[in-house]
């Protein structure tokens, strides 16, 4: 499974980057890196100051080694399958992660991450394995048809494997990407799951493959419709404020960021690739009553069932 997952995410990275270069017209910078002490590595593909994307990153990492105490404590709180009696775990993790921040405030930010994780005991025997990940959309301005299209495409991918997956993982996404200190969601959701080991590995690998296959059909039609829409300075300012919320979630609440920062030898530039190039914070900002900004803020406080 390790080799199959590595081959899948490497191929998907190339496929997604090629498609995004056609959308933007610019070229991604390929940046390969190696983790110290023969601990694996990865390739970060980043586009900054493009025509469509202010910042876009599509990363692949395949890393392995020993879990340090801080990372083990964090993981035991989040993963039911880890043996609490084991004090020293070797791990293997392979994943593709992506965040796209468009220039146009009418075009939504999107996040994707799909990964395979495996741990072994000190004697080399298996401890646990699971898949995790998801895809979610974060618009500054809401177009209902975009939300419906995005969620419908994800639901179709889920329904091929288990009709309980979409409603379960949609709710999980709404709960996970909730900015607790603000009392609002980061975006309008999608799907999110972790500790997924409820079927045979091959079945779940097929599910992950279909999820990755669904990304371009889910997002490219949206970005093509919105990338050239007119906008005002005030609408750009609102986008910057919403990006501030994005940063808050990623740095305060996101488990993947916390795990990466607690793992020795992690590549910080790749971990923080998800942060936008620009963002704003204003003191006590409130949208005008009845405005488009107020509408999306209300939806972020009360998640909607889009399909």
């Amino acid at each position: 499974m390790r080799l199959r997952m590595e081959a899948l995410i490497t191929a998907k990275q190339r496929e997604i980057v090629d498609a995004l270069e056609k959308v933007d017209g610019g070229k991604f910078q390929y940046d390969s890196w190696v983790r110290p002490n023969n601990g694996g590595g990865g390739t970060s593909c980043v586009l900054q100051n493009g025509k469509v994307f202010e910042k876009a990153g599509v990363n692949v990492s395949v890393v392995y080694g020993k879990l340090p105490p801080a990372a083990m404590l964090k993981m035991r709180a989040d993963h039911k399958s880890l043996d609490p009696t084991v004090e020293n775990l070797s791990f293997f993790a392979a994943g593709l992660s992506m965040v796209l921040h468009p220039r146009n405030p009418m075009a939504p930010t999107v996040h994707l991450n799909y990964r395979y994780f495996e741990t072994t005991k000190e004697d080399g025997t298996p401890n646990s394995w699971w898949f995790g990940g998801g895809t979610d959309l974060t618009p500054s301005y809401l177009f209902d048809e975009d939300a419906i299209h995005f969620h419908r495409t994800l639901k179709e991918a889920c329904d091929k494997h288990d009709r309980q997956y979409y409603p379960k993982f949609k709710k999980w996404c709404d709960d996970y990407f909730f900015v607790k200190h603000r009392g609002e969601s980061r975006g309008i959701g999608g799907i999110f799951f972790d500790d997924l080991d409820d079927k045979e590995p091959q079945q779940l690998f097929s599910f992950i493959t279909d999820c990755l296959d669904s990304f371009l059909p889910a997002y490219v039609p949206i970005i093509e419709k919105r990338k050239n829409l007119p906008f005002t300075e005030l609408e750009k300012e609102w986008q910057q404020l919403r990006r501030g919320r994005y940063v808050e979630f990623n740095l305060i609440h996101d488990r993947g960021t916390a795990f990466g920062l607690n793992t020795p030898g992690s590549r910080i530039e790749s971990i923080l690739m998800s942060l936008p190039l620009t963002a704003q914070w204003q003191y006590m900002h409130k949208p005008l009553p009845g405005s488009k900004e107020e509408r999306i803020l209300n939806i972020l406080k009360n998640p909607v069932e889009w399909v």
Side-chain angles (χ1 to χ4, degrees), residues 74-213:
K74 179 64 180 167
M75 290 195 71
R76 283 201 177 113
D78 297 330
H79 296 282
K80 64 183 186 302
S81 54
L82 281 179
D83 185 347
T85 66
V86 176
E87 295 183 0
N88 194 322
L89 278 179
S90 296
F91 78 96
F92 170 89
L96 187 155
S97 60
M98 173 181 63
V99 178
L100 311 177
H101 293 291
R103 286 187 177 277
N104 194 313
M106 302 300 157
T109 287
V110 69
H111 160 257
L112 172 149
N113 181 295
Y114 290 103
R115 57 193 176 274
Y116 173 71
F117 204 97
E118 193 178 283
T119 64
T120 56
K121 298 177 184 177
E122 198 166 4
D123 61 4
T125 57
N127 178 262
S128 60
W129 63 268
W130 65 84
F131 290 90
T135 316
D136 59 281
L137 199 67
T138 304
S140 298
Y141 288 92
L142 182 62
F143 296 89
D144 288 20
E145 62 267 33
D146 293 352
I148 293 168
H149 168 77
F150 187 79
H151 278 267
R152 181 181 291 140
T153 307
L154 296 183
K155 184 178 184 299
E156 288 171 356
C158 290
D159 285 352
K160 292 179 184 178
H161 300 270
D162 191 321
R163 287 192 170 272
Q164 296 303 311
Y165 274 178
Y166 174 77
K168 179 181 178 181
F169 297 159
K170 195 270 185 188
K171 184 180 186 309
W172 202 338
C173 186
D174 290 338
D175 292 342
Y176 179 76
F177 290 106
F178 189 75
V179 187
K180 299 178 182 67
H181 60 279
R182 295 287 190 180
E184 63 191 49
S185 296
R186 188 178 76 174
I188 60 165
I191 59 172
F192 176 84
F193 54 90
D194 209 354
D195 270 347
L196 192 62
D197 58 1
D198 63 340
K199 293 178 170 60
E200 290 298 313
Q202 177 53 43
Q203 290 178 277
L204 295 178
F205 178 79
S206 178
F207 170 58
I208 295 293
T209 302
D210 283 339
C211 287
L212 282 165
D213 286 345

Side-chain angles (χ1 to χ4, degrees), residues 248-299:
E248 289 175 26
F249 175 86
N250 282 28
L251 294 182
I252 297 170
H253 300 300
D254 187 60
R255 292 184 348 208
T257 302
F259 175 78
L261 296 177
N262 282 309
T263 302
S266 293
R267 191 166 192 268
I268 303 303
E269 289 295 327
S270 296
I271 295 169
L272 298 182
M273 173 275 301
S274 64
L275 302 181
L277 204 58
T278 58
Q280 274 188 30
W281 285 263
Q282 289 186 18
Y283 183 71
M284 297 294 287
H285 182 276
K286 289 185 179 180
L288 293 174
S291 65
K292 293 179 292 185
E293 294 83 2
E294 185 186 56
R295 178 176 182 246
I296 191 167
L297 192 57
N298 288 337
I299 287 175

